[in-house]
């Protein structure tokens, strides 16, 4: 049992930041790609959160009154061809946010989702590419693409005690991309 192995104080927050991309279309996505995306973005997130929150499964390492943040994507609102399989898995995260907020709410555990828009990181595949950066920047109300620090700040804000009345929300951090 996970809780029996943990020697530290109960956790106050869990941030599920699973990431694996796939740049394929409906015609080119194979079963292995779908399975890998599902394993990362749905199964892994589900089982980790279960292990940390479910007392009946030996979990409950997340303290009552704690918070869970799931990382989603702006791609569930706006479309980029070739990202449908990835976006579909993150759509499941969208649904889990609301269900888990309802289920964990009686313990005072808040569950929210942060859904980034274009973020210049190694994961995005265009880090340092000025041409791609400009295309995304031109599509935002703020005139730039995000950095990892931008998204980290949103996550920290959601976890802050000042957001204690916020749960079951999808908070898009896109700089106003494709309004």
């Amino acid at each position: 049992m996970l809780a029996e192995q943990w020697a530290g104080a109960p956790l106050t927050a869990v941030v599920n930041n699973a990431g694996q991309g796939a740049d394929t279309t409906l015609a080119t996505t194979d079963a292995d790609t779908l399975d890998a995306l599902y394993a990362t973005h749905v199964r892994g997130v589900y089982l980790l959160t279960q292990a940390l929150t479910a007392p009946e499964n030996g979990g409950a390492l997340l303290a009552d009154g704690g918070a869970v943040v799931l990382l989603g994507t702006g791609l569930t609102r706006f479309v980029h061809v070739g990202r449908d399989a990835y976006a579909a898995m993150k759509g499941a995260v969208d649904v889990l946010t609301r269900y888990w907020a309802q289920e964990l709410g009686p313990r005072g555990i808040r569950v929210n989702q942060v859904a980034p828009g274009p973020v210049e990181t190694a994961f995005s595949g265009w880090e340092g590419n000025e041409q791609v950066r400009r295309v995304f920047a031109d599509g935002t109300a703020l005139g730039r693409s995000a950095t990892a620090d931008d998204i980290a700040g949103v996550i920290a804000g959601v976890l802050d005690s000042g957001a204690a009345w916020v749960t079951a929300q999808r908070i898009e951090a896109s700089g106003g991309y494709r309004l």
Side-chain angles (χ1 to χ4, degrees), residues 88-145:
M89 300 306 161
K90 290 298 192 174
V93 169
D94 213 12
V95 171
L96 291 173
T97 300
R98 293 186 302 278
Y99 274 79
W100 289 348
Q102 181 69 45
E103 185 174 341
L104 298 172
R107 291 182 45 205
I109 296 174
R110 300 177 297 113
V111 182
N112 292 291
Q113 175 192 168
V114 172
V119 182
E120 187 178 354
T121 64
F123 178 78
S124 69
W126 51 273
E127 184 175 37
N129 184 324
E130 186 56 40
Q131 183 179 3
V132 175
R133 180 188 299 133
R134 179 61 15 220
V135 168
F136 284 123
D138 289 347
T140 70
L142 296 177
R144 67 178 181 85
S145 57

Side-chain angles (χ1 to χ4, degrees), residues 2-82:
L2 192 57
E4 293 169 1
Q5 296 172 1
W6 179 253
L11 302 174
T12 58
V14 174
V15 177
N16 279 293
N17 185 20
Q20 176 178 346
D23 198 10
T24 61
T25 63
L26 174 62
T28 62
T29 303
D30 59 29
D32 289 341
T33 299
L34 280 176
D35 290 345
L37 287 169
Y38 175 81
T40 300
H41 298 287
V42 182
R43 187 176 192 273
V45 167
Y46 196 102
L47 294 176
L48 175 64
T49 305
Q50 180 185 59
L52 296 175
T53 62
E56 57 276 6
N57 292 327
L61 292 178
L62 181 63
D64 289 356
V68 176
V69 174
L70 306 173
L71 266 286
T73 181
L75 289 166
T76 59
R77 181 182 64 82
F78 50 79
V79 174
H80 280 279
V81 174

